[in-house]
Amino acid sequence: MGLEVNEDDIQKLVKEHGQELTTNELMDLHHGQQQEVMEEISSAEEEENKAEDSLTSNEIREMCKMWETVQNFVEKHHPNKAVAV
């Protein structure tokens, strides 16, 4: 990979990662991870909302036709006509 690393760098890295974390450090780490997950969820929801907001008039028109078909079917086949309407 072309990295130049000397033994002192490796020893320093091993020493830093060999120390146990305090309870506060663990809690901070956990909080940071939770925050990242919440941001990812929020971002995914925003993307989903954008996709939902971009319905075309043709799609809406088609949905209305489908709803009308369902409505007609229910009115025709429901035993209680007043409830169906």
Side-chain angles (χ1 to χ4, degrees):
M1 290 176 42
L3 299 175
E4 291 195 24
V5 180
N6 64 34
E7 189 175 334
D8 290 337
D9 293 334
I10 295 171
Q11 291 302 324
K12 183 179 176 185
L13 184 64
V14 169
K15 184 177 180 182
E16 287 175 3
H17 288 283
Q19 297 172 352
E20 291 193 29
L21 298 175
T22 66
T23 303
N24 286 339
E25 290 171 328
L26 288 171
M27 288 174 56
D28 289 343
L29 181 62
H30 180 68
H31 178 70
Q33 290 173 338
Q34 281 182 323
Q35 190 170 0
E36 286 178 23
V37 168
M38 293 305 293
E39 288 172 3
E40 288 177 19
I41 290 171
S42 178
S43 176
E45 287 175 349
E46 286 177 17
E47 289 298 318
E48 186 177 309
N49 288 340
K50 286 179 185 177
E52 290 174 359
D53 291 343
S54 63
L55 289 174
T56 65
S57 59
N58 286 336
E59 290 172 322
I60 294 170
R61 193 175 304 115
E62 229 176 279
M63 290 302 294
C64 289
K65 286 180 187 177
M66 289 182 211
W67 178 252
E68 185 178 355
T69 302
V70 170
Q71 190 176 15
N72 289 336
F73 178 84
V74 170
E75 287 175 6
K76 184 177 179 181
H77 297 289
H78 196 284
N80 186 342
K81 300 298 181 196
V83 171
V85 173

